[in-house]
Each structure stands twice: as structure tokens, then as C-alpha cells.
Amino acid sequence: MSSHLDVGAAYCRKRRRGGERVFKFRSFGENGCPVEFDGSFRDNVKALLEYGHLESNLCNGMLSWSFQLEVHRHPPLHILLFVVEEPIEASISLYCKHCQYVGWGCHMICNKKYHFLLPSKDAVAACFSCGESNLDDPNPEKGKFNLVELQGHIMHGVFHSNGFGHLLCVNGVEMGSDLAGYQIMDFWDRLCTGLQARKVSLNDTSTKRGMELRLLHGVAYGEPWFGRWGYKFGRGCYGVNEPIYQKAIEAIQGMPLCLLNHHLSISYNDISVIFSRYQALADHSMVTLGDLFDFMLELRSRLPKENSFDSCNPAILVETSCRWSPKRVEAATRVIVEALKRAEFRWVSRQEVRDAARAYIGDTGLLDFVLKSLGNHIVGNYLVRRCLNPVTKVLEYCLEDISTVFPNPETLLLSNSKVIPSCKITKAQLMKDISFLFKHILKEQKPTLSTGIFSAIPMAARIILDTKFLVKEYSEELSMKVKSSLNGKFKLFCAVILRNDEEIDEGLKKPMLPCECVTLQETATIKDLKLEVEKNFRQVYWRLRSFAVETIVNLNAKGSDLVLGSVEMGQKIVVVGSNDDQTGMIMNEVMMCEWGLNSRIVECPCGAKEDDGERLILCDICEVWQHTRCVRIPNNEEIPHVFLCKQCEEKIMFLPSLP
């Protein structure tokens, strides 16, 4: 066991001796563990932190709390969850680049962020060292430890105080964690659901053995790995939108295996072997590339880590009610296989096979039964493949010698009533095959795949790889309905329009902020409602610290009238207010939204109109930004000191020459 883990274990033991409560990792974040989550996001975070252990010296003066989580008892494994409250005054950057890249740059800057961290072993060791340090130590550097700024955490997620968040990193077993990636994601998903987060984004750059999972799982399942937890297309880079992304998924999934095999087997003999190997293991016909990757990934999830997998696929199962005896079925099977042998491993139509077999078997019903049952199963040392020709739409059959498919194939003989092949494959061999197909079909295509129907593969793969920003909507744009509660209280969801925003003044139709949950007593008046709305929006948004409600849209009521008597169930509540004091004026000047002072004008040939986080270059004449990739500047090359976009170059070429 590493010294880092020893230090972390010692830290947890010390904390437990102090009487700190230990929570179950597998249930933490569920309702009631440790608290009933029944309020707005902000209220839920506050309720959760009441159960945490207040820390010191961990985040450069910012408030932080820790929770001990028990992963399992035997063998004992405990981890620490840290929650750090980052006020806007302590932020290194006023603006959030993650909001900007995912398309939330128009959101107002919030007063606070909350970081949720499962630290790495190195970070736990650093926490322990920091906790042991003397507060009066003359060395000032010891007081500047900041857990948030460390890299390589098991998990790091951050929420703005309005409930919008970003999952910044997940590092599973391959990165030295004691937790698998899916365990970390289950934990994060429970937290987001329990806290009632609004929307959460992530930048999907996850890989396994050098394979980008968004491409691998996109081909197999039609969605990225994070799709298991409901994360979907959020925003594409290089001008990719959702319809383009979906078409790319469909195009690459639907590539016919028979055509790929025909074209690729010339360059890679292993391609045909791999296709046949997994067709032999499958109990159904695999027609497309999506079918193959789907089967291989599902098989991987069922295989033991080191052991082999035995697949028993009955080629012909003669039921007791079958009108042909096992002996007759066996004879017909041998005749059909011999007919296919004479075809010398080429594809032949069903009718051609049937006609050849009729010279020996007169019962056409028996032949039809055997032909139907034999498809994609093993007889003797051969795999009988059946496939619908994509051009002629006719069923075709072909034999493949499985001695080239499995390293040590067992001799397979016909028994009385059924043919049972036993094919073995290890998890290591499976991963090797997946990596081979990923590399030679999806990433490094031969020139044979650059023409015709196959030219769609590199294009579709590029589009899928350019779709990195995923989003999950945890609570819908809160339905703005009055919701009853216990203890004589009710909840109301309100949206705000700022009167002193010119773009909003014209019509006062569209609220510029997400709605907020307001909790009121059943006896609350309209005046109480206005005060509560002011308090909530002041707490959430930096610019609205002096926000004042003026009117409620489409509501004719006096300040002393009861809210429940004035507001109908399901009615949308929109308030109009202002923020006219000096603080608001200053904030107007430095910008109020997450995209900050970004005055970049993006007009790229790919269609992008906003900064998507990819490398950009500025035209020195028109001062318009474009992607370096789109203007053919490789990522490994430095940006040139002088750059002219194509339009400016053309204009210069047509300028009249000076005398």
C-alpha cells in the first residue's frame, strides 16, 4: 500500500477518534442521507454543510467542510469529500470560462461557487500535512494551501449559487483511484439530484487505452459514455450542432460489415478474422459496424477480468415437436455445408445453395428449415455466415474457416440433436481487438476508406470527436408553479426582468435570469413576496446586491393582499425591478455576465460564431477570430506573428497597385 494512502488512512482514523460522523458512500446524497433535500439549490447546500466538519487552512482562507465516506468495511476503505465555498471576492477570475464554452456566457455572475472534491491520495496527504501544521508557524507559505487549485482529483465539480454547475474531472482506477469511473459518476449524479442542481455541463475528453470514449460509445450505443447518466449533446465545437452530430452517429453506426470486410481485408488480414470471431460468439446476425461494437462492449462487461468466456451457440436445436428426426437434420446440414465448400468461400445466394442441396435432399421443407437455422452458427470447423446483400436485397451464405478465428479451436462435431460450438476468448484479447478496429477503422483509415460510402467514416468520426460539451438538465426550468409544503409554508418560483437593461426595456417580455424558488408562509402578503424575491436574487447574483422589486407582471394586487388569494395555481410569476445604485453602475461598466469583457468577434469558415474553447487566431486586418484548425495551422505549430484571413487576402489581391 502506498505511503500516501497510509497518510490518508491515518488522517481518517484521527478524525474518527474526534467523534466525526461517517457516512455511507453508496447512499450519500440520497434524500435523508444526511439531510432531507426539500428547498432550493442554495438551501439544500446550506442544509448539507451543517453535517460537515469545518476545516481550516485548506483553501487559502475560504470556508471548507469535509465529510468522511465509507466505501466498504471489509477491507476498510474510507475517502473524504470536501466542499469549498468560493465567494466572488476570493475568485482569481471574475468570469467562468466553462459557462462561456458550453453556451451559458449570458448568465449573470453569481455571488458564490461551491466546489465538491474527492481529493487524490496526494491531495489527502497534503491536507493531512496542512492540518498538522501550526497556525503560528513563521513560514507564511503553509497558510497558502489551496485544495481547489490542485490537479488530479478523483472528482472535482463546481456549482454556481444559481444551481448551474460543471463537472471538471473524473479520474477512475486507471489514474490510481480506489474508485471506478462509474462509481464516481453514480456518486456525482446522486449529489446533483439531491441538491436539486439546475443544469450541469462537462467537457468529455475521457479515454481508455488511447481510445476516445465519446467516439467508441457513440458508435456502439449512439451516445457518449456519460450518456448512462443522462448527459446529452450540449454544444459542439467547430460549428457542430445537434442535428449534424446525430447524423454523424447514424452514418458511422450503419456502415455495413460485409462491405468493410471486403475493402479492408485487402490491407488488414486481421479485420476479417476479428469480424468472424465475434460473429461466431454472437447469437444473432451482426450487420453493421454499430452492431459489432455494441456486441463487443457488452461482451466486455460480462467477461471476468482474466478468465475466458465460453460461448455455446446452438446452430440447430431440434425440438421434440419437430417433424424431422435428428438424423435427417444432421444429413441435410452436412449436404448444405458441402455445397458451400464447393463455392470456395465466396458468397452465394440462398436459392443457389438450396438448388445444389436438392440433388441429395428431396424434402424442400427440411432444406428450408435447416437453411433458416444454420445462419451465423458453427458447424464442424466452419462458421456458416448469412447476410442480406445490401444491393440485391437477397439472402446470401458463405463459409468461414474458424481455425483462423480462434487460436486453439476445439474440433466441433455434430451431435444427435444440436451443434454446440465452444469458443474461448479472454478479456485481454477482446480489448486488443476493440483497439485494433478503433484504430484502423475509426481513426487511421487507409486510402481505401477515403472514397465512396466509406468517406463518411472519417468525417463522422471527426464530428463526434468535436462534440465534447455535454449537459444534463437535472431539474427542468422550474415550472413556476405554486407548490404546497408542510408546516404551513408553500413554494413559489419567480423570474426577474431588470428595467434598467435597454435590451429588456423594449416590451418587458423575456426574463433574463432563471427563476428562483421562494418559500413563503401561507399568510404571506404581496409585500412579503416582493421582499423575499429581493432577498433571494440578492443572495444569488453579484450584480443584484441592491436589487429592488417594483412591480409584478400581470398581477393587480395591493401590498397587503394575500399571495395565495392573488396567484392561481400554475400561474407564471414575473417581477420587474431595478438596480440603479452606484454599485450597479460600476458593475455595468465591468460587465455582469460570465463571458465578461470578451469582445471577440468569431466568424470562422466552420460556422462557429462564439468562442468554443478551441485554439483561435486573430486576423490582423479585420480583427475577426477563426479556428487555427480551420485555417490549416496545425496544433503543434506556433501561431504566426502576422495572419490574414482568406477574405482580407482576397481584398488585398484586388487592390489597385500603387504607382
Side-chain angles (χ1 to χ4, degrees):
M1 186 176 292
S2 70
S3 59
H4 290 149
L5 191 55
D6 292 338
V7 171
Y11 187 43
C12 286
R13 285 196 298 271
K14 177 184 175 184
R15 299 285 293 275
R16 286 199 293 277
R17 285 199 299 270
E20 187 178 340
R21 185 175 172 184
V22 178
F23 302 95
K24 298 288 186 183
F25 174 78
R26 294 182 183 275
S27 58
F28 190 84
E30 293 178 354
N31 220 8
C33 184
V35 67
E36 293 290 337
F37 299 110
D38 193 34
S40 65
F41 169 78
R42 263 177 0 274
D43 294 334
N44 290 333
V45 171
K46 289 177 183 176
L48 174 67
L49 295 182
E50 290 180 5
Y51 290 82
H53 177 85
L54 186 61
E55 298 284 352
S56 60
N57 287 342
L58 288 186
C59 298
N60 212 7
M62 292 186 287
L63 290 175
S64 57
W65 296 260
S66 65
F67 298 83
Q68 287 193 57
L69 307 177
E70 181 185 73
V71 180
H72 44 71
R73 286 188 178 180
H74 306 292
L77 176 61
H78 290 75
I79 61 174
L80 289 170
L81 167 69
F82 288 94
V83 182
V84 180
E85 182 182 271
E86 179 186 356
I88 190 69
E89 295 82 4
S91 296
I92 296 175
S93 174
L94 192 63
Y95 312 110
C96 178
K97 64 180 181 180
H98 307 293
C99 281
Q100 179 183 343
Y101 295 157
V102 80
W104 300 343
C106 58
H107 288 193
M108 263 194 179
I109 298 170
C110 292
N111 280 319
K112 293 179 181 178
K113 297 176 187 173
Y114 294 94
H115 296 265
F116 284 74
L117 302 116
L118 294 177
S120 63
K121 295 170 185 177
D122 289 332
V124 171
C127 290
F128 178 70
S129 302
C130 180
E132 289 292 304
S133 64
N134 190 337
L135 293 177
D136 297 324
D137 195 304
N139 184 356
E141 293 304 313
K142 288 189 177 181
K144 293 186 177 181
F145 178 79
N146 193 335
L147 181 66
V148 171
E149 294 178 0
L150 295 181
Q151 301 295 315
H153 292 299
I154 296 173
M155 184 200 82
H156 184 181
V158 60
F159 294 102
H160 299 281
S161 52
N162 62 358
F164 285 80
H166 314 282
L167 179 57
L168 304 183
C169 77
V170 171
N171 288 308
V173 175
E174 289 189 354
M175 299 301 292
S177 167
D178 293 309
L179 299 173
Y182 74 89
Q183 291 176 300
I184 302 169
M185 280 305 301
D186 286 344
F187 174 75
W188 171 252
D189 199 50
R190 284 198 306 275
L191 274 178
C192 294
T193 303
L195 294 172
Q196 295 186 29
R198 299 280 187 86
K199 293 182 182 179
V200 175
S201 78
L202 60 86
N203 184 357
D204 183 7
T205 57
S206 54
T207 61
K208 190 173 185 70
R209 301 194 181 189
M211 297 180 287
E212 292 89 347
L213 291 185
R214 62 190 182 280
L215 177 55
L216 179 62
H217 283 253
V219 176
Y221 305 128
E223 63 180 16
W225 181 75
F226 292 99
R228 295 166 57 182
W229 293 273
Y231 285 85
K232 300 178 181 178
F233 179 95
R235 189 185 192 186
C237 301
Y238 300 104
V240 173
N241 57 29
E242 191 168 7
I244 291 175
Y245 171 71
Q246 291 299 337
K247 287 180 180 177
I249 290 281
E250 293 167 8
I252 208 165
Q253 278 187 315
M255 284 292 159
L257 286 181
C258 56
L259 296 182
L260 283 169
N261 187 26
H262 176 72
H263 283 77
L264 287 176
S265 58
I266 301 171
S267 303
Y268 305 111
N269 293 329
D270 289 345
I271 290 282
S272 183
V273 171
I274 292 172
F275 284 1
S276 300
R277 178 179 295 148
Y278 294 96
Q279 184 62 78
L281 288 169
D283 59 358
H284 61 280
S285 177
M286 293 187 292
V287 179
T288 65
L289 191 61
D291 293 338
L292 177 60
F293 274 102
D294 186 353
F295 175 74
M296 293 175 83
L297 291 187
E298 287 300 312
L299 181 60
R300 177 184 172 275
S301 67
R302 302 200 309 268
L303 280 178
K305 191 168 185 179
E306 298 298 336
N307 298 333
S308 62
F309 172 76
D310 293 334
S311 172
C312 294
N313 299 326
I316 304 176
L317 178 59
V318 182
E319 302 175 359
T320 54
S321 59
C322 179
R323 61 192 177 102
W324 296 284
S325 67
K327 187 175 181 180
R328 292 190 65 194
V329 170
E330 180 180 338
T333 301
R334 291 188 182 280
V335 167
I336 290 173
V337 169
E338 289 299 322
L340 289 172
K341 281 183 183 179
R342 291 194 293 273
E344 297 180 347
F345 301 101
R346 65 180 177 85
W347 286 92
V348 293
S349 69
R350 178 186 180 280
Q351 189 61 47
E352 187 178 343
V353 178
R354 190 173 183 267
D355 290 344
R358 277 199 65 186
Y360 304 93
I361 305 292
D363 190 337
T364 55
L366 173 59
L367 288 177
D368 291 338
F369 170 77
V370 173
L371 282 170
K372 181 180 178 182
S373 304
L374 267 180
N376 302 309
H377 287 88
I378 296 175
V379 178
N381 285 324
Y382 299 99
L383 169 66
V384 182
R385 294 195 61 193
R386 181 179 64 183
C387 183
L388 185 69
N389 188 304
V391 179
T392 64
K393 307 301 180 184
V394 171
L395 272 178
E396 294 182 345
Y397 289 79
C398 178
L399 277 189
E400 288 189 17
D401 187 346
I402 64 170
S403 62
T404 63
V405 177
F406 296 98
N408 297 303
E410 300 177 8
T411 303
L412 307 172
L413 300 175
L414 285 166
S415 62
N416 285 336
S417 61
K418 54 188 175 181
V419 182
I420 303 181
S422 178
C423 308
K424 294 187 176 181
I425 188 168
T426 63
K427 199 163 193 174
Q429 180 65 51
L430 174 60
M431 289 307 299
K432 181 180 177 182
D433 292 341
I434 292 175
S435 297
F436 185 88
L437 295 181
F438 186 90
K439 177 181 179 181
H440 295 293
I441 296 180
L442 301 179
K443 290 299 293 289
E444 300 177 6
Q445 299 89 353
K446 284 282 186 180
T448 52
L449 288 184
S450 61
T451 58
I453 186 175
F454 300 117
S455 62
I457 294 180
M459 185 184 300
R462 185 71 265 166
I463 289 169
I464 295 169
L465 290 174
D466 287 339
T467 304
K468 301 176 186 175
F469 296 105
L470 309 177
V471 172
K472 179 173 180 179
E473 190 167 321
Y474 278 90
S475 51
E476 297 175 1
E477 239 345 285
L478 304 168
S479 56
M480 300 186 192
K481 295 180 180 179
V482 179
K483 294 191 177 182
S484 61
S485 185
L486 301 176
N487 305 321
K489 296 181 180 180
F490 68 95
K491 295 177 183 177
L492 188 65
F493 294 97
C494 301
V496 159
I497 293 174
L498 285 185
R499 186 179 295 281
N500 55 331
D501 277 84
E502 295 178 2
E503 67 273 16
I504 300 299
D505 279 339
E506 300 176 4
L508 296 177
K509 293 180 181 179
K510 184 180 179 183
M512 66 174 300
L513 300 171
C515 54
E516 286 294 324
C517 176
V518 175
T519 303
L520 298 166
Q521 298 288 341
E522 289 183 350
T523 56
T525 63
I526 296 297
K527 181 180 179 181
D528 296 329
L529 169 61
K530 290 182 178 180
L531 291 174
E532 195 65 27
V533 170
E534 287 176 356
K535 185 183 82 171
N536 275 266
F537 279 88
R538 287 175 181 179
Q539 288 179 352
V540 176
Y541 295 103
W542 181 52
R543 185 193 172 189
L544 300 186
R545 290 184 175 182
S546 59
F547 173 68
V549 174
E550 296 176 355
T551 60
I552 300 177
V553 176
N554 298 328
L555 185 64
N556 247 340
K558 299 177 182 177
S560 57
D561 291 345
L562 292 177
V563 175
L564 284 181
S566 307
V567 177
E568 297 179 4
M569 295 293 287
Q571 180 180 345
K572 179 179 179 179
I573 305 299
V574 181
V575 302
V576 179
S578 61
N579 198 58
D580 293 327
D581 70 341
Q582 297 248 338
T583 307
M585 299 281 291
I586 294 170
M587 292 177 183
N588 267 330
E589 292 175 9
V590 298
M591 295 299 288
M592 61 179 180
C593 296
E594 295 291 3
W595 54 36
L597 295 170
N598 182 12
S599 57
R600 287 181 172 182
I601 300 173
V602 179
E603 289 283 349
C604 191
C606 68
K609 302 293 183 183
E610 294 181 42
D611 187 353
D612 54 14
E614 301 297 335
R615 195 169 72 148
L616 297 169
I617 188 170
L618 176 69
C619 175
D620 289 292
I621 292 182
C622 66
E623 297 187 342
V624 170
W625 293 84
Q626 299 181 357
H627 293 118
T628 54
R629 190 180 92 182
C630 297
V631 295
R632 302 184 184 280
I633 300 176
N635 282 333
N636 57 358
E637 287 186 13
E638 291 186 6
I639 292 177
H641 296 294
V642 178
F643 170 74
L644 301 183
C645 67
K646 186 177 180 181
Q647 290 82 356
C648 290
E649 276 188 344
E650 290 176 351
K651 288 177 182 177
I652 291 175
M653 287 177 62
F654 288 105
L655 284 175
S657 57
L658 295 174

